[in-house]
Amino acid sequence: MTKLTDLTITEALHGLNDKKFSAAELTEAHISAVEKARGLNIFITETPDGARRQAQESDARRASGKAGALDGIPLAIKDLYCTKGVRTTAASKILGNFVPTYESTVSQKLFDAGSVMLGKVNLDEFAMGSGGVTSAFNPTISPWSGSDPANAARKLVPGGSSSGSAASVAARIAMGATGTDTGGSIRQPASVTGIVGIKPTYGRCSRWGIIAFASSLDQAGPMTRDVADAALMLRVMAGFDEKDSTSVDVPVPDYVAALGKSIKGLKVGLPREYRIDGINPEVDALWHKSAEMLREAGAEVVDISLPHTKYALPVYYIIAPAEASSNLARYDGVRFGLRVAGENLDDMYASTRFAGFGKEVRRRILIGTYVLSAGYYDAYYRKAQRVRRLIRNDFVEAFKKCDVILTPASPGTAFAIGEKQDDPLQMYLEDVFTVTLNLAGLPGICLPVGLAQNGLPMGMQLIGRAFDEETLFTAASALEKAAKFTHKPPFTA
Ligand code: GLN
């Protein structure tokens, strides 16, 4: 029989229903995997006792015929989701001892559906980064490290900010994970670790109880080993929540039913502006090969234009820090987490924030405060909001000509820990293909399509119309079927 940790969620649910194994056994196999993989620094907090208890309760539910949609499935939760009674750090020193008294809506929904939490996983501090390297708890190491014989000793990043989520799923430590995506943090790590990740439409999942980075861009989403598992998880995670005023009250379709449908006649747009300088030529080639695969499956490939693409990163790096500087003002040494004593109140604030925030977070707060300050607000922030509107309009026009848009997910394969760290602009470029969607509020799914010469995975992104995740799942399942990506990282637990 396949190892329990190798099963997809869909397969595990069948196994549980057919009594081939219990949720307790499935969880125990994953707890061992967590221990075996400690060298990768994936978990900030392991919760094996809670996992065992949840698994037992799951077995009892299944025995009495009351199993939920994800009953008994062991998951990793990004340490940006507040979990009741379990330390939640955002990978920051400032929240290093914070234990929430409430549960985020999305994690609650996952637990209500029966899933089991293995623990809280690493990320870039406050989700600011693309490599997991800004974490105050040290970087997560990709299970793909060592796959390139020419560079066997280099430790690679699993992408970011959802670094622990991506690494845990790729290394067969968790069956699925939650991620968050403000500019690419689900899709870029999915791309560089060879897994599937979807950022749903803004408003599809509740942000309540997820530590805020940039509130008009943040979205929750699942990270899994295949498209079907992402459909299963998103169905549970999505839905209206009155506690989040930006959550949208529309029905959540059965995404699993969208899988495997014909894509005959589906119009797939290729944006000409996404042929950028600095893209890895292998990624570019795979992009066109992916379009060919969709064409062979019955789709029609059309050329489209997203003319304001070149402004997306600059706009993002005005809006996201502006919102972050406001959201992070609450960490003042009084209400949450760390406090460093000072001579007076101002000094206490300053000392706490200096000790508690890492370099990248401080950089963002400074940029954000600057672009929001009197005199610069019009020149930067207001202008950025106008260009954001133009970027959104580009998509409105494009979706008159096509049903989904196909693009690479990230410009290259995984980079090494230490690389790009001293060059924020290089790091920011990681999200050149993903940030536009956050600015426009649109859904995007990333799935693995091929391996580069260096043995590392490359993912593609499909972009859809707002609240049309179903078409994304249909198209992604067609591309997944054609691509037949079955590669595993050199390290699996
Ligand atoms: N890499 C981007 C940033 O650093 C996006 C992060 C995210 O989506 N949370 O802001």
Side-chain angles (χ1 to χ4, degrees):
M1 198 176 80
T2 327
K3 261 171 83 178
L4 291 181
T5 48
D6 254 335
L7 300 173
T8 62
I9 295 176
T10 314
E11 290 165 344
L13 287 170
H14 284 306
L16 288 166
N17 276 334
D18 299 346
K19 299 197 170 56
K20 290 202 178 122
F21 45 83
S22 64
E25 287 164 331
L26 186 64
T27 296
E28 217 48 62
H30 285 87
I31 290 173
S32 306
V34 170
E35 289 167 3
K36 205 172 142 197
R38 281 198 182 125
L40 300 183
N41 196 32
I42 291 174
F43 283 79
I44 292 179
T45 307
E46 296 176 8
T47 55
D49 297 339
R52 289 191 179 105
R53 184 177 37 75
Q54 285 178 315
Q56 264 176 10
E57 289 166 5
S58 168
D59 281 328
R61 270 192 303 272
R62 198 173 296 277
S64 58
K66 292 198 194 102
L70 292 171
D71 229 303
I73 299 300
L75 302 177
I77 304 292
K78 185 174 182 177
D79 207 14
L80 201 63
Y81 288 66
C82 288
T83 42
K84 190 174 176 180
V86 177
R87 180 169 78 135
T88 300
T89 68
S92 181
K93 271 197 224 149
I94 211 153
L95 284 176
N97 59 6
F98 173 55
V99 180
T101 52
Y102 40 83
E103 187 72 42
S104 85
T105 297
V106 167
S107 50
Q108 186 63 55
K109 278 172 176 283
L110 287 166
F111 300 145
D112 290 346
S115 55
V116 168
M117 177 171 91
L118 294 167
K120 307 293 296 289
V121 286
N122 210 348
L123 64 151
D124 282 290
E125 185 176 1
F126 283 102
M128 297 175 187
S130 297
V133 289
T134 71
S135 167
F137 296 84
N138 298 318
T140 294
I141 296 160
S142 172
W144 287 92
S145 304
S147 58
D148 177 5
N151 270 309
R154 291 201 321 164
K155 294 214 159 64
L156 302 176
V157 302
S161 68
S162 308
S163 52
S165 308
S168 65
V169 173
R172 275 69 181 161
I173 292 158
M175 306 201 91
T178 62
T180 63
D181 192 311
T182 304
S185 279
I186 287 176
R187 291 158 289 154
Q188 181 262 5
S191 175
V192 302
T193 57
I195 65 167
V196 174
I198 176 165
K199 179 200 93 73
T201 311
Y202 184 76
R204 183 57 104 178
C205 290
S206 170
R207 291 182 297 108
W208 193 83
I210 299 174
I211 294 171
F213 166 9
S215 307
S216 78
L217 303 161
D218 299 342
Q219 255 300 288
M223 301 173 76
T224 56
R225 286 198 287 269
D226 69 10
V227 175
D229 285 2
L232 265 174
M233 265 185 85
L234 183 60
R235 175 106 200 263
V236 171
M237 293 165 72
F240 174 65
D241 178 13
E242 59 185 18
K243 289 190 279 197
D244 173 1
S245 61
T246 59
S247 130
V248 179
D249 194 359
V250 289
V252 179
D254 179 359
Y255 298 125
V256 177
L259 304 170
K261 282 193 182 160
S262 162
I263 58 161
K264 205 165 172 39
L266 186 87
K267 288 206 174 95
V268 178
L270 295 195
R272 64 181 81 107
E273 291 80 7
Y274 280 49
R275 274 164 215 148
I276 57 156
D277 290 341
I279 187 173
N280 176 332
E282 288 183 81
V283 172
D284 193 58
L286 189 66
W287 177 27
H288 293 94
K289 199 169 147 203
S290 304
E292 199 43 52
M293 289 179 195
L294 288 170
R295 200 198 323 261
E296 274 166 22
E300 188 187 326
V301 177
V302 297
D303 193 37
I304 58 158
S305 173
L306 298 168
H308 296 93
T309 298
K310 60 177 176 294
Y311 303 117
L313 277 173
V315 164
Y316 173 84
Y317 278 100
I318 292 171
I319 292 175
E323 294 184 18
S325 71
S326 162
N327 276 325
L328 270 54
R330 73 190 71 176
Y331 305 109
D332 54 6
V334 178
R335 283 167 287 190
F336 303 90
L338 182 80
R339 173 186 296 187
V340 177
E343 306 212 328
N344 51 42
L345 186 64
D346 278 345
D347 191 39
M348 187 278 286
Y349 289 156
S351 308
T352 300
R353 287 166 69 81
F354 185 74
F357 290 135
K359 206 166 130 195
E360 183 62 25
V361 175
R362 291 206 298 269
R363 179 182 307 148
R364 307 268 179 128
I365 292 173
L366 285 174
I367 296 173
T369 313
Y370 181 82
V371 299
L372 287 176
S373 57
Y376 297 104
Y377 181 86
D378 282 329
Y380 292 102
Y381 188 72
R382 183 163 304 175
K383 210 165 266 169
Q385 291 290 18
R386 287 203 191 114
V387 183
R388 179 177 188 175
R389 168 69 57 168
L390 297 176
I391 291 170
R392 211 190 129 254
N393 290 348
D394 281 355
F395 283 102
V396 173
E397 287 307 309
F399 280 121
K400 289 179 183 160
K401 299 200 190 78
C402 63
D403 305 303
V404 293
I405 297 172
L406 175 73
T407 78
S410 69
T413 55
F415 52 92
I417 294 175
E419 218 181 301
K420 301 186 199 245
Q421 230 143 306
D422 301 324
D423 188 348
L425 292 185
Q426 267 303 315
M427 193 68 99
Y428 297 171
L429 201 63
E430 279 295 300
D431 290 320
V432 62
F433 300 126
T434 49
V435 284
T436 46
L437 278 67
N438 300 75
L439 292 167
L442 300 176
I445 190 167
C446 166
L447 68 154
V449 176
L451 282 190
Q453 286 293 322
N454 60 12
L456 295 174
M458 299 182 284
M460 288 295 140
Q461 170 177 250
L462 286 155
I463 309 168
R465 296 187 177 99
F467 294 102
D468 188 13
E469 285 86 0
E470 281 171 290
T471 304
L472 279 189
F473 279 117
T474 300
S477 66
L479 183 56
E480 179 181 55
K481 194 170 157 207
K484 296 188 192 70
F485 185 94
T486 51
H487 306 283
K488 281 192 206 172
F491 176 92
T492 56

